Amino acid sequence: MKITAVETYLVSAPLDVIWNTGIGSGTRRDELLVVVRTDENVYGLGSSYHAHAPLAVKALIDEKLAPMAIGEDALDIQGVWEKLHYGSVYLGAAAVSALSGIDIALWDILGKVTGQPIARLLGGGGVDRVVAYIGCMVLGHKPMEDLLAEAKSYADMGFKALKVRGGAGVERDIEVVRETRKLLGPGVDVMIDMNASYSWPEAVRVARGLGEVGAFWMEDPFDYTVANHHDDVGRLTKMALVPIASGGNVYTRYDVRNLFERGGVDFITPDAVKCGGISEAMKVAHLASAANVLVAPHTLNGLGQVANVHFAAAIPSHVRAHVEWDPGSNNPLRDDMLTNPIKVVDGFLKVPTGPGLGTDLKWDVVRQLPFSTGEEIKGHGKRRSRRWNQSAAAPAPSKAAEPVNA
């Protein structure tokens, strides 16, 4: 079964409200869809992380990876992965994100050919649901009263874990977790994502305070683009002030191994659409299993969330933790674009049982979700603490982006 074409499609959907975080302000959801076609009329679907530069990642697939994949055996998933990864020299993490969608699509093809869901092919056939935590593009920076009302709405839906956005300042971040836990009680886990906001001394202060108020984890306090990220994360983890999570922006098993060797984390958060596909996500999970590190998959949008639910079902059970889930309103990528969206019951995500991913795309809906130019998240870069820089105000909301054809 030979690969005959690799197609890419960009889709966008605006958020109902501006989503403010420590890293910037979000205005929409983007997804880069990948379709791999074969000479036996079997096709597979995948999703590649857009890296906040969707046109660039799309070009990587169209101009670099697709030509390498065409003509290869669609059932030789490992062989194709190695060819694309080691053949995409000089392109780094962007190429890893790009090849993720192709890898996921090949697993979808294998599932269709064998009549099995991907989760079962990966060894997770005995798992019919995975526990979710509320995350993605919700629970951003907002007045405390509004944030608590939003958090309670998710608890009322049956979710037992949620993640608020940090990076608003040491005292504010501690207050947010304290007040959310006070409102929801001990039966709901409260995580906080710092979105790479803090210096070393700030991170220690906020970690100590979060441990005192019972945060379930603190995620990504440091900028992962700097050379000493793994050292700092490992050093903070060893202090045992609060459980530390990281890994959504750590690519491939090689980078994860380096993170573990430098001191590690308590939770690793790989995403199949970012870290190299389902194939690489499983290798990361096995590394974590050997290190006894809990695996809590990060997710993003629509088709990518489906892929990560299959991955989560196959994570070794002794290290399988929560799976991120976006419950936000008006999300056509999650609800309208897929023929079989993920089912949510009492805070659990049902693992699809159909062949492959267990879903297809509604192409009429895809065409109604034209890609929008501009930034999905208008980043403001890392700022000096407000303690020393009183002018560090929240960024102004982004202007509405202009739609273009995918």
Side-chain angles (χ1 to χ4, degrees):
M1 181 180 290
K2 301 299 182 183
I3 298 172
T4 57
V6 178
E7 303 165 1
T8 53
Y9 302 89
L10 286 167
V11 292
S12 297
L15 296 176
D16 285 342
V17 296
I18 300 294
W19 181 61
N20 291 312
T21 76
I23 202 171
S25 298
T27 60
R28 69 175 194 266
R29 297 179 177 91
D30 289 335
E31 188 162 21
L32 174 52
L33 305 171
V34 179
V35 181
V36 174
R37 301 193 183 276
T38 70
D39 60 358
E40 296 186 23
N41 293 321
V42 179
Y43 64 88
L45 303 176
S47 176
S48 291
Y49 179 51
H50 52 66
H52 304 290
L55 293 170
V57 180
K58 183 179 188 299
L60 279 175
I61 298 174
D62 295 343
E63 299 178 21
K64 181 66 174 178
L65 299 184
M68 286 196 290
I70 291 173
E72 293 297 316
D73 182 352
L75 303 183
D76 181 16
I77 299 176
Q78 184 65 29
V80 174
W81 193 98
E82 292 182 358
K83 180 178 182 180
L84 299 188
H85 178 64
Y86 297 111
S88 58
V89 290
Y90 315 123
L91 299 175
V96 174
S97 292
L99 75 85
S100 297
I102 297 175
D103 179 82
I104 293 168
L106 295 182
W107 279 101
D108 190 34
I109 289 172
L110 180 61
K112 290 173 177 175
V113 169
T114 60
Q116 298 293 329
I118 291 174
R120 185 171 296 153
L121 294 175
L122 296 173
V127 179
D128 63 357
R129 63 179 189 168
V130 291
V131 65
Y133 78 86
I134 297 302
C136 301
M137 302 180 85
V138 297
L139 292 170
H141 297 177
K142 60 178 61 178
M144 183 67 74
E145 181 180 354
D146 296 339
L147 180 66
L148 294 178
E150 183 183 0
K152 186 176 185 303
S153 73
Y154 302 137
D156 290 344
M157 294 177 189
F159 292 99
K160 301 301 183 184
L162 55 86
K163 183 168 74 179
V164 297
R165 291 291 158 171
V170 171
E171 290 79 9
R172 174 66 174 182
D173 288 350
I174 296 170
E175 178 189 24
V176 164
V177 173
R178 181 180 63 243
E179 295 305 311
T180 305
R181 292 200 73 240
K182 184 185 300 183
L183 174 68
L184 302 182
V188 177
D189 299 326
V190 179
M191 304 89 151
I192 184 167
D193 188 346
M194 301 310 190
N195 289 121
S197 297
Y198 287 127
S199 65
W200 171 260
E202 290 172 320
V204 172
R205 286 177 58 227
V206 74
R208 182 173 290 114
L210 290 172
E212 292 172 353
V213 300
F216 191 78
W217 78 46
M218 180 174 80
E219 183 174 347
D220 284 338
F222 305 117
D223 184 352
Y224 52 84
T225 64
V226 299
N228 62 322
H229 172 267
H230 293 2
D231 294 314
D232 287 347
V233 170
R235 186 160 55 128
L236 189 60
T237 300
K238 288 177 179 178
M239 293 178 71
L241 298 173
V242 67
I244 302 297
S246 191
N249 298 295
V250 177
Y251 295 78
T252 77
R253 80 200 90 145
Y254 309 110
D255 207 10
V256 170
R257 180 194 65 179
N258 189 50
L259 176 63
F260 287 176
E261 289 178 348
R262 298 299 181 90
V265 290
D266 299 292
F267 294 88
I268 190 75
T269 59
D271 188 327
V273 310
K274 301 175 76 172
C275 73
I278 287 174
S279 297
E280 196 67 4
M282 286 302 303
K283 293 179 175 66
V284 169
H286 293 150
L287 275 177
S289 174
N292 204 26
V293 173
L294 291 166
V295 184
H298 173 279
T299 65
L300 289 166
N301 291 313
L303 196 65
Q305 289 185 317
V306 178
N308 276 295
V309 169
H310 281 281
F311 160 53
I315 294 170
S317 60
H318 73 107
V319 292
R320 186 189 308 124
H322 305 78
V323 183
E324 190 169 17
W325 179 251
D326 187 342
S329 61
N330 189 26
N331 186 347
L333 304 183
R334 180 195 63 206
D335 299 329
D336 303 330
M337 186 179 71
L338 306 176
T339 59
N340 184 28
I342 293 292
K343 307 297 189 302
V344 184
V345 180
D346 295 329
F348 288 85
L349 310 179
K350 300 290 288 183
V351 180
T353 57
L357 288 170
T359 191
D360 208 328
L361 294 171
K362 295 180 182 177
W363 286 102
D364 57 332
V365 176
V366 171
R367 287 188 286 271
Q368 294 168 16
L369 300 169
F371 173 64
S372 298
T373 57
E375 299 170 286
E376 180 197 49
I377 297 178
K378 186 175 179 59
H380 51 60
K382 190 172 182 180
R383 293 169 166 170
R384 182 184 293 177
S385 168
R386 286 168 175 78
R387 185 175 297 276
W388 299 293
N389 181 8
Q390 298 302 317
S391 65
S398 304
K399 293 182 179 180
E402 295 295 328
V404 296
N405 291 328

